[in-house]
Amino acid sequence: MSAAQLRDRFVDRHIGPSDDEIAAMLAALGYDSLDALADAAVPAAIRMTGALDLPPARSEADALAAITAMAADNRVMRSLIGMGYADTHTPAVLLRNLIENPGWYTQYTPYQPEISQGRLEVLLTFQTMIRDLCALDIANASLLDEATAAAEAMALLWGQQKGARRNVVVVDTGCHPQTIAVVRTRAACLGIAVAVGDAWAHDFAAVPAFGVIAQVPSTDGELRDPRPLVDRAHQGGALVALGCDLLALCVIAPPGEVGADLAFGNSQRFGVPLGYGGPHAAFLAARDALKRALPGRIVGVSVDARGQPALRLALQTREQHIRRDKATSNICTAQVLLANLAALYACWHGPAGLRAIAVRVSGLAHALAAGLRDAGLTVRHARFFDTIRVDAGAGAAAVMARALTAGFNLRDFGDGSIGVALDEHSDEAEIARVIEVFGGKAECPSLAGPSFGALARTSACLDHPVFRDHHCETAMMRWLHRLQERDLSLVHSMIPLGSCTMKLNAAAEMLPITLPGFARIHPFAPADQARGYARLFADLERWLCAITGFAACSLQPNAGSQGEYTGLQVIRADLARRGEGHRDVCLIPHSAHGTNPATAVMAGMKVVVVGCDARGNIALDDLRAKADQHRDRLAALMVTYPSTHGVFEAAIADICAIVHTAGGQVYMDGANLNAQVGLCRPGDIGADVCHINLHKTFCIPHGGGGPGMGPICVAAHLADLLPGHPVTATGGSHAIGPVAAAAWGSASILPISWMYIAMMGADGLRRATQVAILNANYLAQRIGAAFPLLYSGERGLVAHECIVDTRVVKPHVEVDDIAKRLMDYGFHAPTMSFPVAGTLMVEPTESESKAELDRFADALVAIRAEADQIAAGAIDSKDNPLKNAPHTAEAVVADGWAHPYSRQVAAFPAPWLREAKFWPRVARIDNAYGDRNLVCACVPVEEFADVK
């Protein structure tokens, strides 16, 4: 290897500790090499032999050249296909300052709101935007995609029934085909019958239904008045969810004003690239009566300890990690980064700008329709927004061929009609070219403002100042910077969240996602225009199978929660075809991730909890007893490995064998795969299916709470069941239904993981795993002097994360006090009270240096010393640095300071803070106030003037 190649070894850039630091940490633990430590930590029975079957590591320059060539192999056409996706213009100020900015894309979910106020403000803006455009009372802070939002809407409506249960949902044929298919997939395991047809003509007396799902405008552009449908549905005892287009809602009557109960859709056309299907932020809005059943996260306004307005995630007791098998949804990953982009796009353009775009696009569509009618063609629908359906008859194939030659992708309905959907990039010249493609005269008829008659929007929206104050780039740039500085991210310090793996998202990995060849491809573009994506998918599927030891892979699930759901669906499908469809019991350890029981219920299974022993391992006697008790109905075990308690359970192979012997299959939650790569493989251990959080182990950033990707890998007997898609050929030969709107989920962020694996290679990935284990054990030892380790393996070691017990300082100090005090030291708290109440789950990852680990350990040791002073009576039990944390700059510089400790102790308790201090924007937030006084949209600060 040349000197230049040695300098460009990516593994040395990704792994935080230097060789000297690694040696020092190993010595502190009593090991002489990373191999020796791994041999001690990972049970010998499951260790893989040999190296992973992966290509040699590429240099950063070589990998970038290869991925750029791959993007160039995708052909960017003008895709006027529609179907819920539209090309759009991402304002450069947002591309540079948000999407390409690690201060935004490396943030974690805002569970510690005092250091998350920036992105919470933008999410509140997103909710306000959705609520206003839909004219409904409340909206969530985004969902995974439009099709899964429709499925969530169906589940919500189903859960609202009182008395006699109905099991029919009416789905209008005007919904997008991918939406109908995903709803069918979700409905099947819940025992819901899906009646697809003309919802406006449905006989609710003859076929009672609990809900209706329709789309306005429809998938082929028709703009029907939904009021008659809503009235008839309500009279028949059904609730109504309407799919809608945000740009259309600027000019047509919104769902709330026509009586709908729910509205769902996709915010993609508000500045978010097509990206071959994602990631895009979907939405779900509801009337007030449904707010506590609304799935997903909701940002609310509360007050802090100083009486000032502060933002937080509201109604968290609804969430799956708390309600577990009683949850209405397993959603835990939102699309925060993309919701931020959509909201900021609305702020950039403002209500007048958005309306102008809507009027222009619709005007162009009407001009196109007029030109086609002049050419003697029939435009099927008289009323539409931006999409028309043209009857071309026997000439349809010739039109489609001419369109391709002219650089257009149109939608072929297969019945002699063709769809054309316009977007923000359309102009008069394009209209003339499209008319020519259809055989008409190559000119654009004069534009006239479209008229929507009784369906025209008459109400104002987006009238909050946030949508009016940032229309020049200077103002937007400064606002974005202010917001960014209110959020702690990886640009400030390590984020040691156990089970969340907040590792480096390298710049070289992020660069490809904005290449036009990846960003501007429509998800339903012809396959020969996406050859680069096909190569990317083939590489990733092959590599992920090699890493996990499985036979086949699906990249479709676009979140970890979706991966869980897909894995269980595949298992159930396999059991059904064996004549064992009655098997519906899912064993779940008490220590499992909160999404696991919620997912099992969503997949139509009955949850049976398995206990853990004193060391935190699955209790084998209880597992055997439960497996035997439910032998005739056992479908699956959901297990996380290494365990959620942070250890490699030595009996994992026996655990799998017990389940298999009882007729069940093993689903392995891949949240902790970062401790396995290159050392052991789920497929070898005995699992049948495993989902992979690409936003954890394989470097896709968390983006403040999303995007994520959760592909699954499966054993050979499940390969033919991998999910298919109604529009794009994919999946196994006996595929289950789709679980996401696009065939390959959030395809445009897959280059990130491709780059990571390509640059690390087999040896680099193995070393990353070993260093992750080293860092976790070193930190466990350092912290152990202050807070004891709760669980460890047989040799006293942990895996890539550890749980430390903060209950030793109760009752004087609670775990929440420690979490808030860490903010004063410039750190995000570890995962708090999961899976054990009153503890911290710490995961440093391989990307953090020894110096950073020592800094974090020093902070926790210092906090323990403060807690001991409180216990000894040296510090007041109520007025002390822990109970008052975090300390804001406003509090520290105030004229008065009545506390019995100094301002320096409050704000600068450690020496490194003199060089770089992160100031929490607000003081400790009152969660109870926020839930008692639920406000989930932008409100003038003046309304809180009397709150003290």
Side-chain angles (χ1 to χ4, degrees):
M1 185 177 289
S2 69
Q5 288 173 316
L6 284 171
R7 286 195 302 271
D8 200 24
R9 281 193 356 145
F10 177 76
V11 63
D12 297 330
R13 310 289 192 263
H14 175 80
I15 292 176
S18 66
D19 289 344
D20 289 344
E21 288 179 324
I22 288 172
M25 288 190 285
L26 284 168
L29 294 171
Y31 294 91
D32 59 8
S33 69
L34 288 172
D35 287 339
L37 175 63
D39 287 343
V42 184
I46 64 169
R47 286 292 299 273
M48 64 177 289
T49 57
L52 293 172
D53 184 16
L54 297 174
R58 294 175 181 260
S59 70
E60 182 175 307
D62 287 347
L64 280 171
I67 200 78
T68 301
M70 209 176 284
D73 211 15
N74 294 323
R75 191 151 49 106
V76 179
M77 304 269 281
R78 275 294 287 142
S79 286
L80 307 181
I81 299 169
M83 300 178 71
Y85 301 95
D87 203 358
T88 184
H89 174 68
T90 306
V93 65
L94 302 182
L95 181 67
R96 174 59 58 88
N97 293 289
L98 183 84
I99 298 300
E100 298 178 345
N101 184 348
W104 283 92
Y105 63 69
T106 66
Q107 301 160 351
Y108 182 61
T109 303
Y111 288 131
Q112 295 293 338
E114 293 86 355
I115 51 175
S116 308
Q117 291 295 294
R119 121 281 304 254
L120 283 169
E121 181 175 328
V122 183
L123 288 177
L124 191 71
T125 302
F126 177 84
Q127 291 176 183
T128 303
M129 174 186 77
I130 300 300
R131 191 195 72 160
D132 280 11
L133 287 171
C134 294
L136 284 164
D137 300 307
I138 191 169
N140 63 20
S142 78
L143 289 173
L144 300 175
D145 60 37
E146 182 170 0
T148 53
E152 293 291 339
M154 175 193 67
L156 189 158
L157 298 181
W158 189 56
Q160 293 305 301
Q161 297 182 80
K162 303 293 188 291
R165 303 282 289 182
R166 300 174 177 181
N167 76 325
V168 174
V169 63
V170 177
V171 179
D172 187 64
T173 52
C175 292
H176 298 309
Q178 69 271 21
T179 297
I180 297 173
V182 171
V183 167
R184 284 188 188 276
T185 302
R186 181 76 65 88
C189 52
L190 297 176
I192 295 172
V194 180
V196 178
D198 183 352
W200 275 257
H202 184 79
D203 188 339
F204 289 93
V207 184
F210 66 82
V212 177
I213 299 174
Q215 196 160 308
V216 180
S218 68
T219 188
D220 68 351
E222 183 178 16
L223 189 54
R224 299 175 76 176
D225 189 341
R227 282 168 286 214
L229 167 62
V230 172
D231 290 344
R232 291 183 64 248
H234 286 169
Q235 290 168 13
L239 300 178
V240 179
L242 289 183
C244 46
D245 180 307
L246 291 184
L247 192 63
L249 292 182
C250 295
V251 293
I252 68 170
E257 292 180 8
V258 298
D261 304 285
L262 292 174
F264 66 91
N266 187 354
S267 64
Q268 178 267 317
R269 72 183 310 167
F270 275 22
V272 182
L274 286 164
Y276 209 43
H280 305 144
F283 60 85
L284 189 58
R287 54 184 174 85
D288 187 72
L290 302 175
K291 64 188 177 187
R292 293 185 183 272
L294 196 65
R297 295 169 180 147
I298 300 174
V299 177
V301 183
S302 186
V303 294
D304 71 2
R306 296 172 60 82
Q308 300 302 309
L311 307 178
R312 57 182 280 274
L313 293 180
L315 302 177
Q316 288 193 58
T317 53
R318 309 165 314 116
E319 292 202 16
Q320 83 295 325
H321 65 285
I322 295 172
R323 299 199 67 204
R324 298 174 69 84
D325 57 315
K326 299 297 189 295
T328 57
S329 171
N330 74 338
I331 292 296
C332 67
T333 302
Q335 298 284 20
V336 171
L337 189 65
L338 296 314
N340 288 344
L341 179 56
L344 292 166
Y345 176 94
C347 294
W348 179 245
H349 289 288
L354 291 176
R355 180 177 175 83
I357 295 171
V359 169
R360 181 176 176 277
V361 171
S362 190
L364 288 168
H366 283 77
L368 173 61
L372 293 174
R373 291 190 191 102
D374 290 344
L377 295 165
T378 299
V379 175
R380 186 167 294 190
H381 305 304
R383 195 158 50 188
F384 50 84
F385 170 62
D386 65 353
T387 301
I388 62 174
R389 185 171 182 176
V390 187
D391 287 315
V399 171
M400 292 297 293
R402 288 197 298 271
L404 286 173
T405 301
F408 293 109
N409 290 322
L410 307 181
R411 181 179 180 184
D412 187 350
F413 284 93
D415 62 353
S417 65
I418 296 172
V420 185
L422 303 186
D423 57 43
E424 185 181 1
H425 286 281
S426 298
D427 57 20
E428 289 87 341
E430 180 171 272
I431 299 306
R433 292 170 60 212
V434 172
I435 292 173
E436 185 178 26
V437 161
F438 277 89
K441 191 174 181 180
E443 61 182 30
C444 178
S446 60
L447 301 183
S451 174
F452 302 107
L455 280 180
R457 180 168 196 141
T458 57
S459 59
C461 63
L462 307 182
D463 55 359
H464 191 277
V466 74
F467 298 107
R468 299 197 304 264
D469 292 348
H470 310 100
H471 296 166
C472 77
E473 183 159 344
T474 305
M476 177 62 78
M477 176 183 66
R478 290 173 178 165
W479 183 42
L480 288 172
H481 186 72
R482 288 196 300 271
L483 292 171
Q484 175 189 331
E485 287 305 304
R486 297 173 188 174
D487 279 28
L488 189 144
S489 67
L490 284 176
V491 306
H492 298 100
S493 59
M494 69 183 290
I495 301 181
L497 285 149
S499 189
C500 295
T501 317
M502 298 292 293
K503 63 167 69 177
L504 171 70
N505 314 121
E509 296 158 3
M510 299 299 295
L511 280 173
I513 67 172
T514 56
L515 294 172
F518 289 131
R520 294 196 65 188
I521 303 293
H522 192 286
F524 305 140
D528 64 358
Q529 295 174 22
R531 290 195 177 100
Y533 264 120
R535 289 168 51 201
L536 175 76
F537 301 152
D539 282 351
L540 274 178
E541 289 170 4
R542 183 173 63 256
W543 295 350
L544 293 176
C545 284
I547 288 167
T548 59
F550 284 115
C553 174
S554 170
L555 299 171
Q556 188 176 122
N558 52 4
S561 56
Q562 291 292 82
E564 294 176 17
Y565 172 69
T566 309
L568 291 187
Q569 287 280 55
V570 166
I571 288 174
R572 294 215 68 181
D574 182 55
L575 293 171
R577 70 178 172 184
R578 298 182 186 193
E580 297 182 312
H582 62 281
R583 290 184 175 270
D584 63 351
V585 169
C586 185
L587 301 179
I588 300 182
H590 186 268
S591 62
H593 286 117
T595 51
N596 287 175
T599 298
V601 170
M602 202 170 86
M605 294 187 178
K606 176 185 176 183
V607 173
V608 173
V609 177
V610 177
C612 294
D613 62 23
R615 300 191 66 174
N617 299 319
I618 294 174
L620 290 182
D621 289 345
D622 191 41
L623 175 65
R624 289 191 182 96
K626 298 283 175 60
D628 188 61
Q629 177 186 352
H630 300 284
R631 176 176 295 270
D632 293 337
R633 292 178 56 196
L634 180 60
L637 166 76
M638 299 185 81
V639 61
T640 302
Y641 199 75
S643 77
T644 312
H645 288 146
V647 297
F648 286 99
E649 296 192 38
I652 185 62
D654 294 334
I655 289 168
C656 295
I658 290 168
V659 174
H660 287 151
T661 300
Q665 300 191 39
V666 177
Y667 161 86
M668 186 172 285
D669 186 314
N672 292 344
L673 192 63
N674 206 48
Q676 293 191 54
V677 179
L679 300 181
C680 57
R681 305 191 302 176
D684 299 338
I685 291 170
D688 299 283
V689 57
C690 174
H691 95 262
I692 304 167
N693 288 322
L694 296 184
H695 50 289
K696 295 183 180 181
T697 302
F698 296 100
C699 292
I700 291 176
H702 287 64
M709 278 291 275
I712 63 168
C713 290
V714 299
H717 69 284
L718 301 175
D720 64 327
L721 295 167
L722 290 175
H725 194 274
V727 182
T728 305
T730 189
S733 57
H734 297 87
I736 65 170
V739 297
W744 288 280
S746 295
S748 69
I749 55 176
L750 292 176
I752 301 169
S753 297
W754 188 96
M755 286 288 292
Y756 174 65
I757 297 172
M759 292 188 294
M760 292 290 281
D763 291 342
L765 290 174
R766 182 174 182 271
R767 185 173 179 84
T769 305
Q770 291 177 321
V771 175
I773 293 171
L774 170 65
N775 280 2
N777 280 280
Y778 176 74
L779 202 52
Q781 184 187 78
R782 285 279 341 260
I783 298 172
F787 298 103
L789 189 65
L790 194 61
Y791 300 116
S792 63
E794 294 179 351
R795 300 193 187 184
L797 296 171
V798 298
H800 64 312
E801 61 189 8
C802 61
I803 298 178
V804 295
D805 195 348
T806 65
R807 295 170 296 187
V808 294
V809 294
K810 288 173 69 74
H812 308 286
V813 174
E814 302 292 334
V815 65
D816 200 52
D817 300 323
I818 297 170
K820 305 308 180 187
R821 182 58 169 158
L822 274 169
M823 298 176 191
D824 289 332
Y825 284 84
F827 288 107
H828 194 294
T831 303
M832 190 172 64
S833 291
F834 173 82
V836 181
T839 65
L840 294 174
M841 183 194 287
V842 184
E843 181 179 357
T845 85
E846 71 273 13
S847 296
E848 299 299 340
S849 67
K850 179 179 181 295
E852 185 73 351
L853 302 184
D854 285 333
R855 201 163 65 90
F856 178 73
D858 289 345
L860 279 178
V861 169
I863 289 171
R864 173 60 194 265
E866 292 176 334
D868 289 343
Q869 288 181 295
I870 296 169
I875 302 178
D876 187 272
S877 62
K878 294 183 179 179
D879 189 1
N880 60 66
L882 276 78
K883 294 295 181 183
N884 294 331
H887 297 83
T888 65
E890 182 182 5
V892 171
V893 302
D895 291 340
W897 183 260
H899 303 298
Y901 55 94
S902 70
R903 300 174 197 255
Q904 178 171 328
V905 167
F908 296 95
W912 62 78
L913 297 167
R914 295 289 179 182
E915 180 179 350
K917 169 69 178 177
F918 178 86
W919 289 100
R921 177 69 178 181
V922 297
R924 194 175 304 196
I925 294 175
D926 188 334
N927 292 325
Y929 178 94
D931 283 349
R932 287 195 309 269
N933 304 275
L934 191 62
V935 177
C936 298
C938 296
V939 293
V941 173
E942 290 76 16
E943 291 193 19
F944 291 86
D946 59 345
V947 178
K948 297 294 181 186

